[in-house]
Amino acid sequence: MAKVIQIIRGDITSLRVDAIVNAAAPELLGGGGVDGAIHKKAGIELLEECRKLHGCKYGEAKITNGYNLPAKKVIHTVAPKWYDNSIENKQELLENCYINSYELAIKNNIKTIAFPCLGMGVYRVPIDTGTKTSIDIAFEYEKYFDKIYLVCFRDEEYHSYKEYYKEKTEDR
Ligand code: AR6
């Protein structure tokens, strides 16, 4: 049987899936990194819909249409700023980003979903922490989806994901 979890390298904005997940900022008004790329390709209508959502707290998730993206929907979630010492429960908040995104996807009948490496850019989630969190939770949710794409933009993320996935499936 074909594997549900697929670790791939590339640009998440080019994927024709039911939903892509955005590593957003709390204001949900766009920004740099993957957020900037998603807004650029989706167009101004995405920003207009995001304005009506009144932001998103760390670990929460909100859904919009995909507009000019090949993806039908965008799920916006906000990872904790790993470098911010005033945030205490960062690991739990990062886990919540994945969990709440999957739960929202299930509620919206989404069957194919793609995640970037949440928090692992500007917000500086360490590569080993981000890798483990993303893959462990993907295994918890694989039964609800046809495909889960874990999209790595940088080579080091791709290699880290591949290695951890291999370790995990070898001892299954
Ligand atoms: N496709 C897939 N992954 C990408 C793409 C892309 N087109 N572009 C970048 N990445 P980041 P964060 C990867 O910084 O750490 C924004 O300004 C990137 O290599 O986008 O959660 C927001 O507005 C990294 O692995 O998100 C927030 O202010 C991953 O996406 C802040 O950054 C996440 O990096 C959020 O920071």
Side-chain angles (χ1 to χ4, degrees):
M1 215 172 75
K3 281 184 273 178
V4 173
I5 301 172
Q6 302 276 337
I7 296 164
I8 60 170
R9 212 182 324 212
D11 179 359
I12 202 166
T13 67
S14 65
L15 297 181
R16 193 168 296 280
V17 286
D18 293 340
I20 60 172
V21 179
N22 182 16
E27 300 77 23
L28 295 186
L29 298 177
V34 70
D35 193 11
I38 289 172
H39 274 273
K40 190 169 172 213
K41 195 144 173 183
I44 192 75
E45 285 166 296
L46 177 61
L47 186 62
E48 283 162 8
E49 187 177 356
C50 281
R51 276 191 215 287
K52 296 180 191 143
L53 299 176
H54 306 294
C56 184
K57 296 198 182 93
Y58 294 134
E60 286 184 358
K62 294 192 175 179
I63 193 164
T64 64
N65 289 317
Y67 300 100
N68 295 332
L69 288 161
K72 289 187 205 124
K73 298 279 180 186
V74 181
I75 293 176
H76 307 261
T77 189
V78 184
K81 292 175 181 147
W82 214 260
Y83 55 84
D84 183 342
N85 293 327
S86 69
I87 307 171
E88 281 169 13
N89 49 341
K90 293 194 259 280
Q91 177 61 38
E92 189 186 339
L93 292 172
L94 182 62
E95 287 168 14
N96 288 346
C97 287
Y98 286 98
I99 292 167
N100 288 325
S101 297
Y102 282 120
E103 293 290 339
L104 191 56
I106 293 166
K107 271 194 211 129
N108 284 275
N109 295 318
I110 282 158
K111 287 288 170 194
T112 54
I113 188 165
F115 282 85
C117 303
L118 296 175
M120 288 165 72
V122 175
Y123 285 179
R124 286 192 250 141
V125 170
I127 194 156
D128 49 345
T129 305
T131 301
K132 193 171 180 313
T133 306
S134 173
I135 293 177
D136 285 350
I137 299 174
F139 275 101
E140 285 171 32
Y141 280 92
E142 67 175 340
K143 58 180 171 291
Y144 301 105
F145 294 88
D146 293 338
K147 280 278 179 268
I148 296 173
Y149 296 98
L150 303 180
V151 185
C152 300
F153 199 62
R154 291 178 291 150
D155 281 352
E156 58 194 297
E157 290 158 349
Y158 181 72
H159 294 307
S160 170
Y161 271 54
K162 279 286 194 193
E163 198 172 312
Y164 183 69
Y165 179 90
K166 194 164 160 247
E167 271 172 36
K168 210 176 151 89
T169 46
E170 271 169 1
D171 61 35
R172 266 182 146 194

